[in-house]
Amino acid sequence: NQHSRHGSIVRVRVWRVARRLVAYGAVFVLVLLFGLIALLYTPWFKRYARDFLVRQSHSIINGDLSIGRLSGNFFSGLVLEDVVVQQGSVTPVRISKLVVHYSVTQVARGNTIAIDRLDVSGLKLAVVHLPWGGLNLGSLIKKRPPSGKPRRTIAIRTIQLDGAELTFDRSWGPWWMRLPLRITNLTSTLGLLSREG
């Protein structure tokens, strides 16, 4: 009788300790999770993310990318201001404000990197003819080396251009048509789907 009472007391104590451990563990995980979320909103982390994007761009872009300011949240959208791509003495791309709307789950999972919408304000493109006949904009993105595994499709459902401006270094288009060297206040809605091959 005394032995069974002692056994039940031990079980109750073990149960209490286990409950406390689970409660403390849950509290610790919640505090850690909220701490990580709060970190995403700090100016320090946004500067780190901006610098990370600039470093990663060297493997994608033929040129030097700079981003003046990065804001927003990392779960549903970011705002990039004063985005510039420099190629030597030429600045082929300048964007006053770029707003990226996405869902983290759409970007992270599946075979497609899906961006819901890009709002591009104050885009300025400087189009320069290259010595071998192409345009500088055609060489902005580096060609990706072939890989052993298939790459994910990139889908940008809507690209909204507002107040875009294009300047050309010399005449362009067919010889029988005189096209302007400068196009201003260009507004357009586009989409992009990039598949391997």
Side-chain angles (χ1 to χ4, degrees), residues 20 24 30 39 60 80 91 152 173:
R20 282 184 187 158
Y24 291 150
L30 285 174
L39 178 67
I60 300 169
L80 290 79
T91 306
R152 296 171 71 192

Side-chain angles (χ1 to χ4, degrees), residues 90-183:
V90 179
T91 306
V93 179
R94 183 181 296 276
I95 302 171
S96 297
K97 187 176 183 181
L98 174 64
V99 183
V100 188
H101 303 273
Y102 60 87
S103 164
V104 165
T105 55
Q106 288 177 333
V107 172
R109 67 181 168 84
N111 296 324
T112 303
I113 299 171
I115 306 291
D116 292 326
R117 183 181 174 97
L118 286 181
D119 292 324
V120 185
S121 302
L123 170 66
K124 292 183 179 180
L125 295 177
V127 183
V128 176
H129 290 79
L130 299 172
W132 52 88
L135 298 175
N136 63 335
L137 296 182
S139 66
L140 269 179
I141 305 298
K142 291 181 178 178
K143 290 185 178 179
R144 299 194 295 182
S147 64
K149 56 183 181 180
R151 297 182 191 271
R152 296 171 71 192
T153 299
I154 299 171
I156 304 175
R157 295 189 177 108
T158 305
I159 302 170
Q160 182 66 48
L161 294 180
D162 183 26
E165 179 181 308
L166 283 80
T167 57
F168 297 84
D169 65 332
R170 63 175 194 245
S171 60
W172 60 287
W175 60 270
W176 45 267
M177 184 184 291
R178 188 174 177 85
L179 295 170
L181 293 179
R182 188 165 180 243
I183 300 170

Side-chain angles (χ1 to χ4, degrees), residues 79-97:
V79 179
L80 290 79
E81 296 176 68
D82 299 322
V83 179
V84 176
V85 176
Q86 190 80 25
Q87 286 183 317
S89 61
V90 179
T91 306
V93 179
R94 183 181 296 276
I95 302 171
S96 297
K97 187 176 183 181

